[in-house]
Amino acid sequence: MNRRQLLASLGISGLALSLKGRSQTIASLTKPVNKPIVLSTWYNQSKTANVPAWKILSEGGTALDAVEAGVQVSENDPENCCVGLGANPDREGIVTLDACIMDHKYQIGSVAALEQIKSPIHVARLVMEKTPHVMLVGAGAQQFAVQNGMELQGLELSFHAKRAYEEWLRKSEYKPVMNIEKGHGPYIAPGDEANEFNHDTIGMIAMDKNGNLSGACTTSGMGFKMRGRIGDSPIIGAGLYVDNEVGAATATGQGEEVIRICGSFLVVEFMRQGMSPEQACKKAVERIKKNTPKDANTIQVGFIAINKKGEYGGYALHRNFDYGVTDGNGDTKKIDSKFMMQ
Ligand code: ASP
């Protein structure tokens, strides 16, 4: 008679099994929280953007300061195709920027269609901290930024954005296919390495040493977009969401699809139901695939998420989505996201 049979014969197998289950639960409850930690979309950006964020976190700073400083690296990079004033313009040749920020106390700030201002994420933070509102757009957002000491920049396109725009103008094709094939996106000037990657928004989420979560998301939106088009990135609940009791999530890819399902909010709610960050991201991607009125073969969406234990994950509709995670000793790991469609 083996142990299980003996326990069964004594009528205590259920008890033994439930004790085993409880010891596993206790083990996972007592596992130390993985903090501080920061992660951001697209490793190509994370590898530099996570650096100042990590510095702030490792010195005991707040997740809010970390994510703002982190995404500003991409905003300030004149070679970034898709974030900040160096990014690709809209159809009319004007760079318009969107950003949002959220902290651990449900405080939110957002700007959209902001022109000629270098750091939209900073303006979003000012909206959060200095106004009774949560979102400013267009000329009003710009005026607010200038009133708060930010300089109005020129309208010239960066070297790379100009080349990409001129190339796009040749056909003026409005075909928002993104990130499925590196180097084969419709917006890429041939041979233009800075634009080789047709991505994208930087979404960054972090947990500080006090266990508080914050997130930031900033973008120029889809390259050569229709003038006035706003994607998910400045929309709280779509491009970014933080609930300090549960976790945080951010998105990249086809903004319309992310907005359609309230993507980042949904990921956080799935985590609230007990899913791991990766499972939660996968469920949100599944919902997009199932419900999009578009051909799911032609769109890309990716989510990353973190929970209160400092566990993280991501998931994308198609291949070629990656993200960077910095924790532990401060090294930034490149994670190739799992994906749903071949
Ligand atoms: N989500 C952004 C938008 O739709 C773009 C991106 O992430 O590539 O504007």
Coordinates of all heavy atoms in Angstrom, one line a residue, residues 41-42 82 98 178-179 198-203 217-223 225 229-234 239 251-259 300-302, ligand 1:
T41 N 7.7 49.1 -23.7 CA 7.4 48.4 -25.0 C 8.6 48.7 -25.9 O 9.2 49.8 -25.9 CB 6.2 49.0 -25.6 OG1 6.2 50.4 -25.7 CG2 4.9 48.6 -24.8
W42 N 8.9 47.7 -26.7 CA 9.9 47.8 -27.8 C 11.3 47.9 -27.2 O 11.8 49.0 -26.8 CB 9.7 48.9 -28.8 CG 8.3 48.8 -29.4 CD1 7.3 49.7 -29.1 CD2 7.8 47.8 -30.3 NE1 6.2 49.3 -29.9 CE2 6.5 48.2 -30.6 CE3 8.4 46.7 -30.9 CZ2 5.7 47.4 -31.4 CZ3 7.6 46.0 -31.8 CH2 6.3 46.3 -32.0
C82 N 8.9 57.4 -34.0 CA 7.5 57.3 -33.7 C 7.2 57.9 -32.3 O 6.0 57.8 -31.9 CB 7.1 55.8 -33.7 SG 7.6 55.0 -35.2
D98 N 0.9 62.6 -28.8 CA -0.1 62.2 -27.8 C 0.7 61.5 -26.6 O 1.6 60.8 -26.8 CB -1.0 61.1 -28.4 CG -1.7 61.5 -29.7 OD1 -1.9 62.7 -29.9 OD2 -2.0 60.6 -30.5
M178 N 1.1 47.8 -39.3 CA 2.3 48.1 -38.5 C 3.0 46.9 -37.9 O 2.3 46.0 -37.5 CB 1.9 49.0 -37.3 CG 0.6 49.6 -37.5 SD 0.1 50.5 -36.0 CE 1.3 51.7 -35.9
N179 N 4.3 47.0 -37.8 CA 5.0 46.1 -36.9 C 5.0 44.6 -37.1 O 5.3 43.8 -36.3 CB 4.6 46.3 -35.5 CG 4.7 47.8 -35.1 OD1 5.6 48.4 -35.6 ND2 3.8 48.2 -34.3
N198 N 9.2 50.0 -37.9 CA 8.0 50.9 -38.0 C 7.3 50.9 -36.7 O 6.1 50.6 -36.7 CB 7.2 50.3 -39.1 CG 6.0 51.2 -39.3 OD1 6.0 52.4 -39.1 ND2 4.9 50.6 -39.7
H199 N 8.0 51.1 -35.6 CA 7.4 51.2 -34.3 C 8.1 52.2 -33.5 O 9.2 52.6 -33.9 CB 7.3 49.8 -33.7 CG 8.6 49.1 -33.5 ND1 9.6 49.5 -32.6 CD2 9.2 48.1 -34.2 CE1 10.6 48.7 -32.7 NE2 10.4 47.8 -33.6
D200 N 7.6 52.6 -32.6 CA 6.3 52.8 -32.1 C 6.3 53.5 -30.8 O 7.3 53.9 -30.3 CB 5.7 51.4 -31.9 CG 4.7 51.1 -32.9 OD1 4.7 51.7 -34.0 OD2 3.9 50.2 -32.7
T201 N 5.1 53.7 -30.3 CA 4.9 54.2 -29.0 C 5.7 53.6 -27.9 O 6.0 52.3 -27.9 CB 3.4 53.8 -28.7 OG1 2.6 54.3 -29.7 CG2 3.0 54.2 -27.3
I202 N 6.2 54.4 -27.0 CA 6.8 53.8 -25.8 C 5.7 53.8 -24.7 O 5.2 54.9 -24.3 CB 8.1 54.4 -25.4 CG1 8.6 53.6 -24.1 CG2 8.1 55.9 -25.2 CD1 10.1 53.8 -23.9
G203 N 5.4 52.7 -24.1 CA 4.6 52.6 -22.9 C 5.5 52.0 -21.9 O 6.2 51.0 -22.1
C217 N 2.8 56.8 -21.2 CA 2.7 56.3 -22.6 C 2.9 57.5 -23.5 O 2.2 58.6 -23.3 CB 1.4 55.6 -22.8 SG 1.1 54.8 -24.4
T218 N 3.7 57.5 -24.6 CA 3.9 58.7 -25.4 C 4.2 58.2 -26.8 O 4.9 57.3 -27.1 CB 5.0 59.6 -24.8 OG1 5.2 60.7 -25.6 CG2 6.3 58.9 -24.6
T219 N 3.7 59.0 -27.8 CA 3.8 58.6 -29.2 C 3.5 59.8 -30.1 O 2.9 60.8 -29.7 CB 2.7 57.5 -29.5 OG1 3.0 56.9 -30.7 CG2 1.3 58.1 -29.5
S220 N 3.9 59.6 -31.4 CA 3.5 60.5 -32.4 C 2.3 59.9 -33.1 O 1.8 60.4 -34.1 CB 4.6 60.8 -33.4 OG 5.0 59.6 -34.0
G221 N 1.9 58.7 -32.7 CA 0.7 58.0 -33.3 C 1.2 57.3 -34.5 O 2.4 57.2 -34.8
M222 N 0.3 56.9 -35.3 CA 0.6 56.2 -36.5 C 1.2 57.2 -37.6 O 0.7 58.2 -37.8 CB -0.6 55.5 -37.1 CG -1.0 54.3 -36.3 SD -2.6 53.7 -36.6 CE -2.6 53.7 -38.3
G223 N 2.3 56.8 -38.2 CA 3.0 57.6 -39.1 C 2.0 58.0 -40.3 O 1.3 57.1 -40.7
K225 N -0.7 59.6 -40.4 CA -2.1 59.5 -40.0 C -2.9 60.6 -40.6 O -2.3 61.7 -40.9 CB -2.2 59.4 -38.5 CG -1.7 60.7 -37.8 CD -1.5 60.6 -36.3 CE -0.8 61.9 -35.8 NZ -0.5 61.7 -34.4
R229 N -6.3 62.6 -36.2 CA -6.5 61.3 -35.7 C -5.8 61.1 -34.4 O -4.6 61.4 -34.2 CB -6.0 60.3 -36.7 CG -6.1 58.8 -36.3 CD -4.8 58.3 -35.7 NE -4.9 56.9 -35.3 CZ -4.0 56.3 -34.5 NH1 -3.0 56.9 -34.0 NH2 -4.1 55.0 -34.3
I230 N -6.5 60.5 -33.4 CA -5.9 60.2 -32.1 C -6.0 58.7 -31.9 O -7.1 58.1 -32.1 CB -6.7 60.9 -31.0 CG1 -6.8 62.4 -31.2 CG2 -6.1 60.6 -29.6 CD1 -5.5 63.2 -31.1
G231 N -5.0 58.1 -31.4 CA -5.0 56.7 -31.1 C -5.3 56.4 -29.7 O -5.9 57.2 -28.9
D232 N -4.8 55.2 -29.2 CA -5.1 54.8 -27.9 C -4.1 55.4 -26.9 O -4.4 55.5 -25.7 CB -4.9 53.3 -27.8 CG -3.5 52.9 -28.2 OD1 -3.0 53.4 -29.2 OD2 -2.9 52.1 -27.5
S233 N -3.0 55.9 -27.3 CA -1.9 56.2 -26.4 C -2.2 57.3 -25.4 O -1.7 57.2 -24.3 CB -0.6 56.5 -27.2 OG -0.3 55.5 -28.1
P234 N -3.0 58.3 -25.7 CA -3.3 59.3 -24.7 C -4.6 59.0 -24.0 O -5.0 59.8 -23.1 CB -3.4 60.6 -25.5 CG -4.0 60.2 -26.8 CD -3.5 58.8 -27.0
G239 N -4.5 53.1 -23.9 CA -3.1 52.9 -24.0 C -2.4 52.7 -22.7 O -1.2 52.2 -22.7
A251 N -0.1 49.6 -23.8 CA -0.3 49.0 -25.1 C 0.5 49.7 -26.2 O 0.9 50.9 -26.1 CB -1.8 49.1 -25.5
T252 N 0.7 49.0 -27.3 CA 1.2 49.6 -28.5 C 0.6 48.9 -29.7 O 0.0 47.8 -29.6 CB 2.8 49.4 -28.5 OG1 3.3 50.0 -29.7 CG2 3.2 48.0 -28.5
G253 N 0.7 49.5 -30.8 CA 0.1 48.9 -32.0 C -1.1 49.7 -32.5 O -1.2 50.9 -32.2
Q254 N -2.0 49.1 -33.2 CA -3.1 49.8 -33.8 C -4.1 50.3 -32.8 O -4.9 49.6 -32.2 CB -3.8 48.8 -34.7 CG -4.8 49.4 -35.7 CD -4.2 49.6 -37.0 OE1 -3.3 48.9 -37.4 NE2 -4.7 50.6 -37.7
G255 N -4.0 51.6 -32.6 CA -4.7 52.3 -31.5 C -6.2 52.1 -31.5 O -6.8 51.9 -30.5
E256 N -6.7 52.1 -32.7 CA -8.2 51.9 -32.8 C -8.7 50.6 -32.2 O -9.7 50.6 -31.6 CB -8.6 52.0 -34.3 CG -8.5 53.4 -35.0 CD -7.1 53.9 -35.3 OE1 -6.2 53.1 -35.1 OE2 -7.0 55.0 -35.7
E257 N -7.9 49.6 -32.4 CA -8.3 48.3 -31.9 C -8.1 48.2 -30.3 O -8.9 47.6 -29.7 CB -7.4 47.2 -32.5 CG -7.5 47.1 -34.0 CD -8.9 47.1 -34.5 OE1 -9.7 46.3 -34.0 OE2 -9.2 48.0 -35.4
V258 N -7.1 48.9 -29.8 CA -6.9 49.0 -28.4 C -8.1 49.8 -27.7 O -8.6 49.4 -26.7 CB -5.6 49.6 -28.1 CG1 -5.4 49.7 -26.5 CG2 -4.4 48.8 -28.7
I259 N -8.4 50.9 -28.4 CA -9.5 51.7 -27.8 C -10.8 50.8 -27.8 O -11.6 50.8 -26.9 CB -9.8 53.0 -28.6 CG1 -8.6 53.9 -28.5 CG2 -11.0 53.7 -28.2 CD1 -8.6 55.1 -29.4
Q300 N -1.5 45.0 -35.9 CA -0.7 44.5 -34.8 C -1.1 45.2 -33.5 O -1.4 46.4 -33.6 CB 0.8 44.7 -35.1 CG 1.8 44.5 -34.0 CD 1.9 43.0 -33.6 OE1 0.9 42.3 -33.3 NE2 3.1 42.5 -33.5
V301 N -1.1 44.5 -32.5 CA -1.3 45.0 -31.1 C -0.5 44.3 -30.1 O -0.3 43.1 -30.2 CB -2.8 44.9 -30.7 CG1 -3.0 45.3 -29.3 CG2 -3.7 45.7 -31.6
G302 N 0.1 45.0 -29.2 CA 0.9 44.3 -28.1 C 0.6 45.0 -26.8 O 0.4 46.2 -26.7
Ligands
ASP1 N1 -0.8 53.0 -30.5 C1 -0.3 54.1 -31.3 C2 -1.4 54.7 -32.0 O1 -2.3 54.0 -32.4 C3 0.8 53.7 -32.2 C4 1.6 52.6 -31.9 O2 1.7 52.1 -30.8 O3 2.3 52.2 -32.8 O4 -1.4 55.9 -32.1

